[in-house]
Coordinates of all heavy atoms in Angstrom, one line a residue:
F399 N 7.1 -5.2 36.8 CA 7.8 -3.9 36.8 C 8.1 -3.4 35.4 O 7.9 -2.3 35.0 CB 9.0 -3.9 37.7 CG 9.8 -2.6 37.8 CD1 9.3 -1.6 38.5 CD2 10.9 -2.5 37.0 CE1 10.0 -0.4 38.6 CE2 11.6 -1.3 37.1 CZ 11.2 -0.2 37.8
Y400 N 8.7 -4.4 34.6 CA 9.1 -4.1 33.3 C 7.8 -3.6 32.4 O 7.9 -2.7 31.7 CB 9.7 -5.3 32.6 CG 10.0 -5.2 31.2 CD1 11.1 -4.4 30.7 CD2 9.2 -5.8 30.2 CE1 11.3 -4.3 29.3 CE2 9.4 -5.7 28.9 CZ 10.5 -4.9 28.4 OH 10.7 -4.8 27.1
Q401 N 6.7 -4.4 32.6 CA 5.5 -4.1 31.8 C 5.0 -2.7 32.2 O 4.4 -2.0 31.4 CB 4.4 -5.1 32.1 CG 4.8 -6.5 31.4 CD 4.7 -6.4 29.9 OE1 5.2 -5.6 29.3 NE2 4.0 -7.4 29.4
S402 N 5.1 -2.3 33.5 CA 4.5 -1.1 33.9 C 5.3 0.1 33.4 O 4.7 1.2 33.3 CB 4.5 -1.0 35.5 OG 5.8 -0.9 36.0
K403 N 6.5 -0.1 33.0 CA 7.4 1.0 32.5 C 7.3 1.2 31.0 O 7.8 2.2 30.5 CB 8.8 0.8 32.9 CG 9.1 0.8 34.4 CD 8.7 2.1 35.0 CE 9.0 2.1 36.5 NZ 8.5 3.3 37.1
Q404 N 6.6 0.3 30.3 CA 6.4 0.4 28.9 C 5.4 1.4 28.5 O 4.3 1.4 29.2 CB 6.1 -1.0 28.3 CG 7.1 -2.1 28.4 CD 8.4 -1.6 27.8 OE1 8.4 -1.2 26.7 NE2 9.5 -1.8 28.5
P405 N 5.6 2.2 27.5 CA 4.6 3.2 27.1 C 3.3 2.5 26.6 O 3.4 1.5 25.9 CB 5.3 4.1 26.1 CG 6.4 3.2 25.5 CD 6.8 2.3 26.7
K406 N 2.2 3.1 26.9 CA 1.0 2.5 26.4 C 0.7 3.0 25.0 O 0.9 4.2 24.7 CB -0.2 3.0 27.2 CG -0.1 2.6 28.7 CD -0.3 1.2 28.9 CE -0.3 0.9 30.4 NZ 0.6 -0.2 30.8
S407 N 0.5 2.1 24.0 CA 0.2 2.5 22.7 C -1.2 2.9 22.5 O -2.1 2.3 23.0 CB 0.6 1.4 21.7 OG -0.3 0.3 21.9
Q408 N -1.4 4.0 21.9 CA -2.8 4.6 21.6 C -3.0 4.6 20.1 O -2.1 4.9 19.4 CB -2.9 5.9 22.2 CG -2.8 5.9 23.8 CD -2.9 7.3 24.4 OE1 -3.1 8.3 23.6 NE2 -2.8 7.4 25.6
P409 N -4.2 4.3 19.7 CA -4.5 4.4 18.3 C -4.4 5.8 17.8 O -4.7 6.8 18.4 CB -6.0 3.9 18.2 CG -6.5 4.1 19.6 CD -5.4 4.0 20.5
T410 N -3.9 5.9 16.5 CA -3.7 7.2 15.9 C -5.1 7.7 15.4 O -5.8 7.0 14.7 CB -2.8 7.1 14.7 OG1 -1.6 6.5 15.1 CG2 -2.6 8.4 14.0
P411 N -5.5 8.9 15.8 CA -6.8 9.4 15.4 C -6.8 9.6 13.9 O -5.8 10.1 13.3 CB -7.0 10.7 16.2 CG -5.6 11.1 16.6 CD -4.8 9.8 16.7
V412 N -7.9 9.3 13.3 CA -8.1 9.6 11.9 C -9.2 10.7 11.7 O -10.3 10.5 12.3 CB -8.6 8.3 11.1 CG1 -8.8 8.5 9.7 CG2 -7.5 7.2 11.3
A413 N -8.9 11.7 11.0 CA -9.8 12.8 10.8 C -11.1 12.4 10.2 O -12.2 12.7 10.7 CB -9.2 13.9 10.0

Side-chain angles (χ1 to χ4, degrees):
F399 178 76
Y400 172 77
Q401 291 288 49
S402 69
K403 297 299 179 185
Q404 296 301 311
K406 304 286 186 230
S407 64
Q408 296 180 359
T410 305
V412 176

